[in-house]
Amino acid sequence: HHDNHIRQLAVESLGKTGSSEAVAPLIVHLFDSHDTGVVANALVQIGEPAVHPLAAAAESMGKAEQSKIIDVLSRIRSKESPRALRKLLSELDNSLQQEARRLLGDLEQSVFPIWWFDSPHIDRTIENGDATEMATLTSALKYGLAFNLPYLGETERQWIYY
């Protein structure tokens, strides 16, 4: 009991360091431990340095491990997370692909909130002509469109090209 508490504190400390060196040992303990939640939180806290090692580990893992990695990746708020998840899609079986696509959608909205895409916001930004705001809006729109294009139906695709 006491050992579990010490291990959890150690894992939490590793997460707080934000060190890329902590990622590999944490990934190992993500699967073989009763502290899965604590380990996952530590990896999320490390953030972007954990994204590519997690994605690489998922490629050689079984379904249960891939599911856990997808969950952790979807909680890391960085521009790299959606890219890594998208790249992983082809490695996953159908049920995991659906889970990954749903989590990608949630992640996408957190990287660029949905209100970025509402008409009044876009109109105000264009009217004000603030260069920084325009650059951010352009980036958000391109990112949102590029992300969603593969999942749009034929009708929506035709609408975009007009």
Side-chain angles (χ1 to χ4, degrees):
H1 179 74
H2 185 66
D3 288 344
N4 284 347
H5 183 67
I6 291 171
R7 191 170 59 239
Q8 285 182 347
L9 288 174
V11 168
E12 288 172 3
S13 296
L14 283 174
K16 288 176 184 169
T17 66
S19 169
S20 59
E21 292 170 11
V23 173
L26 285 172
I27 289 173
V28 169
H29 289 290
L30 186 60
F31 313 114
D32 71 349
S33 142
H34 297 292
D35 305 321
T36 294
V38 178
V39 174
N41 290 340
L43 286 163
V44 169
Q45 208 169 6
I46 289 172
E48 193 152 321
V51 171
H52 292 294
L54 279 164
E59 290 177 11
S60 61
M61 298 280 176
K63 189 174 174 177
E65 291 86 359
Q66 286 179 331
S67 179
K68 178 51 79 178
I69 287 175
I70 290 166
D71 175 63
V72 174
L73 281 172
S74 74
R75 292 170 46 208
I76 297 175
R77 301 292 183 241
S78 90
K79 296 284 192 313
E80 289 303 310
S81 299
R83 289 186 189 119
L85 276 168
R86 238 179 278 125
K87 189 175 169 210
L88 257 180
L89 280 174
S90 62
E91 306 289 326
L92 304 173
D93 77 3
N94 286 341
S95 63
L96 281 179
Q97 279 185 6
Q98 286 180 329
E99 179 186 350
R101 281 197 176 97
R102 182 183 57 76
L103 291 170
L104 259 171
D106 294 345
L107 181 61
E108 172 68 16
Q109 285 187 21
S110 72
V111 176
F112 289 112
I114 199 68
W115 60 265
W116 269 105
F117 301 102
D118 84 327
S119 221
H121 175 77
I122 292 170
D123 292 345
R124 273 193 311 279
T125 303
I126 292 169
E127 283 172 21
N128 295 341
D130 175 34
T132 306
E133 193 76 6
M134 283 295 287
T136 306
L137 178 63
T138 303
S139 170
L141 288 170
K142 283 181 185 170
Y143 192 79
L145 184 58
F147 172 79
N148 287 301
L149 203 54
Y151 310 113
L152 295 178
E154 201 51 45
T155 307
E156 291 94 344
R157 284 183 195 203
Q158 287 172 355
W159 179 80
I160 286 168
Y161 291 128
Y162 286 122

